[in-house]
Amino acid sequence: MTRHVSDEQVRHWLDDTVLRSVESHDESGTEFNFELELSRLPIHVIKEEQWGPVRIVGRNGFEGEGATELLRDDDRRSQLLQSIGPMLAATPGFYTFLDGEGAPAALRHASTLQLEARLYPEETTQQALMDGVMGIGSCMRYVRDVVVAMTPTEREE
């Protein structure tokens, strides 16, 4: 039987000893939208419909000229995918590369990586919620670190 997961329940389940901050955003079309800060990374916990899933969403921007060059270079982009691919595959949920307009795009034209895990009401527990938040956060940090490591600094140019 489906059960309703409320904003109060989700807020209670969020582990304040792990999260730096939790901010509630009032948005039309959502039951709730919490923005969390985990290790300086923003992650949203969103529920759009009363009986719908809780979505855990993180976004990494490919920022700066060096990151743009990395994505446009076929060989380096291939190396990037080899490095981050296993982490993306192992992270619960799915990932999508987005262009500057927020539409799905090939990595070559991406400006953002979006990661999303969904928790359906029957399976939503504190453990599942925090596992999802931590998994998305770990993947975001890993991707960010790999992109930084593969982007030449000004001294190297």
Side-chain angles (χ1 to χ4, degrees):
M1 181 166 130
T2 302
R3 64 185 175 106
H4 173 63
V5 179
S6 70
D7 58 333
E8 293 89 9
Q9 183 64 66
V10 168
R11 179 60 190 98
H12 177 73
W13 281 341
L14 293 170
D15 186 348
D16 290 331
T17 64
V18 173
L19 303 170
R20 185 172 191 159
S21 69
V22 177
E23 185 177 325
S24 181
H25 294 278
D26 291 328
E27 294 180 8
S28 63
T30 64
E31 290 279 314
F32 58 82
N33 180 350
F34 294 113
E35 182 176 352
L36 321 175
E37 185 180 337
L38 174 67
S39 184
R40 297 184 322 211
L41 298 168
I43 298 173
H44 286 263
V45 176
I46 305 165
K47 185 173 173 194
E48 286 144 345
E49 300 172 7
Q50 182 177 12
W51 303 104
V54 173
R55 298 172 52 225
I56 303 166
V57 180
R59 287 188 170 190
N60 266 4
F62 297 111
E63 299 164 356
E65 190 175 314
T68 301
E69 289 176 15
L70 171 66
L71 298 182
R72 302 299 185 268
D73 182 282
D74 291 340
D75 291 334
R76 293 177 62 216
R77 186 177 61 254
S78 178
Q79 292 172 354
L80 174 64
L81 275 175
Q82 287 176 3
S83 296
I84 67 173
M87 185 66 159
L88 293 173
T91 300
F94 61 96
Y95 64 92
T96 307
F97 297 112
L98 304 172
D99 65 16
E101 308 286 315
L107 178 57
R108 172 186 205 89
H109 303 290
S111 64
T112 306
L113 166 65
Q114 177 173 294
L115 302 155
E116 180 174 333
R118 292 179 177 222
L119 301 175
Y120 292 89
E122 298 84 5
E123 301 299 320
T124 304
T125 63
Q126 182 178 24
Q127 187 67 53
L129 177 66
M130 289 308 299
D131 283 350
V133 167
M134 301 290 275
I136 295 287
S138 292
C139 187
M140 288 173 66
R141 173 66 60 213
Y142 182 79
V143 170
R144 184 173 286 178
D145 289 348
V146 169
V147 169
V148 166
M150 292 184 70
T151 303
T153 63
E154 292 180 27
R155 291 180 304 235
E156 294 174 346
E157 295 176 347

